[in-house]
């Protein structure tokens, strides 16, 4: 499975792609950033991010795209720019019919380092080790994009296998496992029922 990770940002949008499957060594496909100038108008910056992501999608040809889920920050301007860049990445992938997954920063950190509170250096170090790179990808946005892709290869694998099995059986999945079990207790009882 080839996954392209996107660490959204208006000035630097980290992009990286890996290939692999759960339990097997991962391979770096490509890593870098899409940059925009802070002097440009917001519309021009978003168009530049779209062009950059489209170019990456053309070159990398991923099976899925993993984007960092935007979370609340103290700086509203930063979170707005991140959300806008995130929306562009989701739109570009969705336009091509590619599955898009959103992963929280703590989910990615836990998948890569074993700790949801790891710092950027720890994440970068583990990405370097996991992909057997000579040096840590720079800037940190690029390493974060690779971490997102790795996280999705490892965590998205079970969901993808279910979807593939359903496709082979000729039936579209009608509900996700999470939706199916939502609201059920430990013994499978629906809240408020006696089964």
């Amino acid at each position: 499975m080839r996954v392209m990770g996107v660490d959204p940002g208006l000035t630097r949008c980290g992009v990286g792609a890996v290939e692999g499957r759960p339990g097997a060594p991962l391979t770096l496909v490509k890593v870098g950033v899409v940059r925009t100038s802070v002097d440009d108008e917001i519309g021009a910056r978003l168009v530049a991010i779209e062009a950059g992501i489209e170019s990456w999608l053309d070159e990398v040809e991923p099976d899925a795209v993993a984007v960092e889920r935007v979370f609340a920050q103290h700086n509203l301007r930063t979170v707005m720019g991140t959300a806008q860049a995130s929306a562009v990445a989701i739109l570009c992938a969705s336009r091509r019919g590619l599955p898009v997954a959103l992963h929280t920063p703590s989910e990615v950190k836990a998948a890569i380092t074993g700790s949801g509170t790891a710092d950027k250096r720890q994440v970068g170090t583990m990405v370097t080790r996991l992909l057997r790179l000579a040096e840590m990808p720079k800037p940190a946005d690029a390493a974060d994009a690779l971490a997102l892709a790795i996280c999705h290869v490892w965590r998205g694998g079970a969901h993808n296998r279910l979807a593939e099995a359903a496709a082979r059986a000729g039936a579209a999945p009608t509900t996700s496992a999470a939706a199916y079990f939502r609201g059920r207790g430990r013994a499978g009882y629906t809240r408020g029922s006696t089964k």
Side-chain angles (χ1 to χ4, degrees):
M1 166 182 244
R2 183 173 285 194
V3 177
M4 187 172 102
V6 179
D7 181 38
L10 271 181
T11 303
R12 286 186 321 269
C13 185
V15 189
V18 300
E19 190 151 353
R21 60 184 170 76
L26 299 160
T27 305
L28 172 68
V29 175
K30 185 177 177 183
V31 65
V33 292
V34 175
R35 296 179 189 273
T36 68
S37 172
V38 295
D39 297 328
D40 290 344
E41 294 293 324
I42 184 67
R45 294 177 82 182
L46 293 173
V47 167
I49 290 170
E50 178 191 25
I53 289 175
E54 288 289 353
S55 176
W56 271 80
L57 290 168
D58 287 340
E59 185 176 339
V60 172
E61 297 181 345
D63 300 308
V65 175
V67 180
E68 183 175 272
R69 182 182 299 273
V70 178
F71 63 98
Q73 296 177 347
H74 296 295
N75 186 340
L76 183 60
R77 179 177 227 148
T78 300
V79 82
M80 287 300 295
T82 302
Q84 291 162 337
S86 177
V88 169
I90 293 166
L91 174 70
C92 290
S94 297
R95 186 184 294 141
R96 294 169 182 245
L98 293 171
V100 177
L102 301 175
H103 297 284
T104 64
S106 59
E107 178 185 359
V108 174
K109 291 173 185 180
I112 302 301
T113 70
S115 170
T117 60
D119 63 29
K120 284 196 175 285
R121 180 131 182 94
Q122 290 170 311
V123 171
T125 298
M126 285 306 298
V127 164
T128 304
R129 287 182 186 165
L130 291 168
L131 295 174
R132 300 170 308 284
L133 304 175
E135 59 187 39
M136 190 181 307
K138 291 193 169 119
D141 309 279
D144 288 348
L146 289 173
L148 277 153
I150 293 167
C151 174
H152 188 69
V153 167
W154 288 349
R155 295 204 169 179
H159 177 72
N160 294 334
R161 286 190 299 275
L162 287 171
E164 288 169 6
R168 280 193 305 272
T174 56
T175 185
S176 69
Y180 179 79
F181 288 105
R182 195 173 292 126
R184 296 193 177 263
R186 288 182 12 198
Y189 291 92
T190 304
R191 289 188 190 127
S193 76
T194 57
K195 206 174 190 180

